[in-house]
């Protein structure tokens, strides 16, 4: 164990995954074939939403989701500072303004109270949307955010990149799976290798709105379509109806996505098993993300908090435990600083960042490896 490198996250590729990719490579379609449609259908079924649009990564998915909401230059959107930069960058891609509301100190998620405070400190119509993030895999209570959004006529894009398979129970007692589109207008998932479902690169946008779905399809593929054309001189004809992109996933990536998706429920259960063991070992000694009432954390990450974080990071890395920091707060990144940070005070986010460190968390982490990680963390904590 002493010499084994233990990363904070990693993909798990089985023979079935490899076989599915090989078969697709030997088929007629490398891109835009049947595997994309199959992946979208199965993903929508799994998440429990009406529509799913596969894209080449979640950053592209966030870009077209923001465009599908109709965000225009200068319009303002609220997000969390504790996320990967892409959650905010999508607003800048269309020359919008990013405003930050602080996080809740216990859940590390965008604070509903701070978001409300920010919205209500401005005239009606000042903000257009909210992008909450299911950070580390913990589902945001979107029912509460929807209520707030409704009062102020805002759209919601759920950044669910960390949370396929996570859910919360709403006030009616119904289970709401992350990205199911019941309370958000659209949601975005990532299939980067450190995430639950690995496609190499890849992403999915989900929605229950047919209008949003149609816009996403157009934007994913150059703005080109054969539907609702103003004229139709023959079978070859197509129209470019808006300015779009090539944000398509390939068929062999989709084939991998399908086999990976089939294992996700089992993977999330294993992640929860790992999380429970960490919690048991660290109870009363260290702070970690709290789980509000009735929800199921998909556990992309397991974050603990320590006062002397840099020393712990160095100590774990010296022992080949490649703990990571999630994230440098977005408002502290030079690009966002140069724009001038706008929003509420961000005291909780700043304090969290000083202490946070993510421990290894992935389904194939063995009990022995996790035991070693726990031993090293406690060795450091106990001095
Ligand atoms: C919360 C969040 N949003 C968006 C992204 C962007 O995902 P992708 O790498 O698929 O573009 C990531 C990736 O790390 C993420 O963690």
């Amino acid at each position: 164990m002493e010499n084994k490198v233990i990363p904070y996250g990693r993909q798990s590729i089985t023979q079935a995954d490899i076989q599915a990719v090989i078969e697709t490579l030997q088929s007629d379609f490398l891109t835009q074939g049947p595997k994309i449609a199959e992946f979208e259908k199965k993903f929508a079924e799994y998440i429990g939403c009406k529509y799913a649009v596969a894209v080449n990564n979640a950053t592209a998915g966030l870009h077209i989701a923001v465009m599908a909401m109709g965000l225009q230059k200068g319009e303002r959107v609220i997000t969390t500072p504790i996320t990967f930069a892409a959650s905010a960058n999508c607003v800048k891609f269309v020359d919008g303004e990013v405003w930050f509301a602080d996080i809740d100190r216990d859940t590390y998620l965008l604070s509903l109270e701070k978001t409300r405070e920010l919205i209500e400190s401005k005239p009606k119509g000042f903000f257009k949307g909210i992008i909450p993030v299911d950070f580390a895999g913990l589902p945001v209570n979107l029912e509460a955010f929807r209520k707030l959004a409704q009062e102020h006529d805002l759209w919601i894009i759920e950044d669910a990149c960390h949370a396929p398979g996570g859910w919360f129970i709403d006030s009616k007692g119904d289970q709401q799976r992350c990205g199911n589109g019941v309370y958000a207008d659209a949601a975005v998932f990532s299939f980067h290798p450190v995430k639950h479902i690995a496609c190499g690169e890849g992403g999915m946008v989900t929605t229950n709105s047919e209008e949003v779905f149609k816009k996403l399809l157009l934007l994913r593929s150059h703005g080109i379509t054969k539907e609702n054309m103003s004229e139709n001189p023959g079978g070859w004809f197509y129209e470019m109806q808006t300015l779009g992109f090539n944000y398509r996933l390939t068929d062999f990536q989709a084939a991998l996505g399908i086999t990976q998706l089939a294992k996700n429920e089992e993977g999330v259960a294993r992640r929860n098993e790992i999380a429970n063991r960490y919690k048991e070992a660290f109870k009363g000694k260290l702070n970690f993300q709290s789980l509000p009432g009735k929800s199921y954390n998909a556990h992309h990450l397991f974050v603990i908090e320590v006062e002397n974080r840099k020393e712990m990071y160095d100590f774990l890395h010296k022992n080949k435990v490649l703990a990571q920091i999630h994230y440098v707060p977005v408002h502290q990144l030079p690009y966002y600083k140069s724009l001038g940070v706008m929003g509420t005070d961000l005291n909780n986010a700043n304090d969290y960042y000083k202490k946070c460190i993510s421990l290894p968390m992935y389904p194939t982490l063995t009990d022995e490896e996790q035991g070693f990680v726990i031993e090293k963390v406690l060795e450091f904590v106990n001095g």
Side-chain angles (χ1 to χ4, degrees):
M1 220 18 71
E2 295 288 335
N3 277 318
K4 181 138 196 228
V5 173
I6 306 177
Y8 85 86
R10 63 163 290 130
Q11 72 277 16
S12 137
I13 301 290
T14 62
Q15 204 48 45
D17 293 317
I18 294 166
Q19 196 51 38
V21 174
I22 291 173
E23 277 168 23
T24 308
L25 287 173
Q26 289 167 336
S27 76
D28 289 340
F29 296 95
L30 293 192
T31 192
Q32 287 184 288
K35 288 295 169 190
I36 296 286
E38 186 184 336
F39 187 27
E40 290 174 335
K41 185 167 176 288
K42 288 187 165 153
F43 196 84
E45 276 166 12
Y46 176 69
I47 295 298
C49 63
K50 281 196 188 149
Y51 307 103
V53 176
V55 285
N56 55 350
N57 56 67
T59 305
L62 283 161
H63 185 187
I64 60 174
V66 157
M67 288 179 76
M69 294 301 121
L71 191 70
Q72 302 293 318
K73 184 173 177 176
E75 292 183 337
R76 306 170 189 93
V77 175
I78 300 171
T79 192
T80 169
I82 299 300
T83 184
F84 184 60
S87 315
N89 292 351
C90 57
V91 174
K92 296 308 301 173
F93 294 160
V94 296
D95 287 324
E97 271 186 18
V98 179
W99 287 61
F100 297 101
D102 205 2
I103 58 165
D104 177 274
R105 194 63 189 85
D106 297 325
T107 62
Y108 315 155
L109 303 180
L110 179 66
S111 155
L112 178 71
E113 292 71 33
K114 288 285 187 171
T115 306
R116 178 182 291 282
E117 185 187 305
L118 180 57
I119 292 170
E120 291 180 353
S121 71
K122 302 289 177 192
K124 203 153 177 100
F126 191 85
F127 294 106
K128 292 291 175 201
I130 313 174
I131 306 180
V133 179
D134 301 313
F135 175 73
L138 185 60
V140 170
N141 184 336
L142 286 174
E143 184 184 24
F145 271 93
R146 170 51 72 196
K147 196 162 169 289
L148 175 65
Q150 230 151 18
E151 284 166 30
H152 297 273
D153 206 12
L154 307 174
W155 48 254
I156 299 176
I157 296 174
E158 175 187 9
D159 183 334
C161 286
H162 294 187
W167 47 257
F168 73 99
I169 302 290
D170 69 10
S171 61
K172 295 185 216 87
D174 294 333
Q175 188 190 100
Q176 302 294 347
R177 285 171 88 79
C178 293
N180 73 359
V182 169
Y183 294 112
D185 297 278
V188 180
F189 293 87
S190 170
F191 306 138
H192 179 277
V194 294
K195 303 294 196 305
H196 298 65
I197 295 164
C199 287
E201 298 282 354
M204 194 74 81
V205 189
T206 57
T207 183
N208 283 344
S209 154
E210 190 180 356
E211 189 190 337
V212 170
F213 170 63
K214 285 187 171 163
K215 285 184 187 167
L216 293 170
L217 289 182
L218 260 186
L219 291 164
R220 171 177 70 174
S221 208
H222 308 280
I224 286 175
T225 183
K226 282 178 169 249
E227 281 182 24
N228 303 318
M229 295 193 288
S230 49
E231 53 172 326
N232 191 357
W236 74 91
F237 198 69
Y238 58 80
E239 274 185 351
M240 184 184 136
Q241 296 177 345
T242 190
L243 185 62
F245 311 91
N246 180 353
Y247 282 169
R248 296 187 299 260
L249 192 71
T250 64
D251 249 42
F252 51 95
Q253 286 172 302
L256 181 55
I258 292 164
T259 49
Q260 290 266 303
L261 175 64
K263 292 179 294 213
N264 194 57
E265 210 53 17
E266 198 187 308
V268 174
R270 172 70 186 139
R271 287 171 183 271
N272 272 275
E273 214 174 83
I274 293 169
N276 289 340
R277 187 168 170 207
Y278 277 140
K279 287 180 192 172
E280 199 52 45
F282 302 145
K283 207 164 47 188
K285 301 186 178 93
L286 290 166
N287 281 344
F288 39 81
Q289 188 176 34
S290 72
L291 186 69
K294 301 167 194 156
S295 49
Y296 186 53
N297 192 332
H299 273 303
H300 165 49
L301 303 172
F302 190 86
V303 182
I304 57 170
E305 296 184 48
V306 278
E307 293 298 331
N308 34 5
R309 193 266 311 276
K310 184 183 179 325
E311 287 75 14
M312 179 181 267
Y313 177 93
D314 291 342
F315 176 79
L316 291 178
H317 277 242
K318 205 175 83 203
N319 285 285
K320 301 199 169 59
V321 175
L322 305 187
Q324 188 52 277
I325 308 305
H326 296 94
Y327 291 91
V328 178
V330 182
H331 68 281
Q332 292 190 22
L333 299 171
Y335 171 76
Y336 282 97
K337 280 212 270 201
S338 77
L339 296 176
V341 175
M342 293 166 297
T344 67
D345 75 77
L346 300 170
N347 297 335
N348 286 344
N350 291 332
D351 185 55
Y352 162 86
Y353 173 55
K354 283 186 197 142
K355 299 173 184 162
C356 66
I357 182 162
S358 307
L359 299 181
M361 169 56 83
Y362 47 94
T364 54
L365 181 74
T366 65
D367 290 345
E368 193 190 4
E369 287 164 344
Q370 189 183 10
F372 181 75
V373 175
I374 291 171
E375 183 191 313
K376 289 297 153 193
V377 168
L378 292 180
E379 193 179 314
F380 180 83
V381 171
N382 297 328

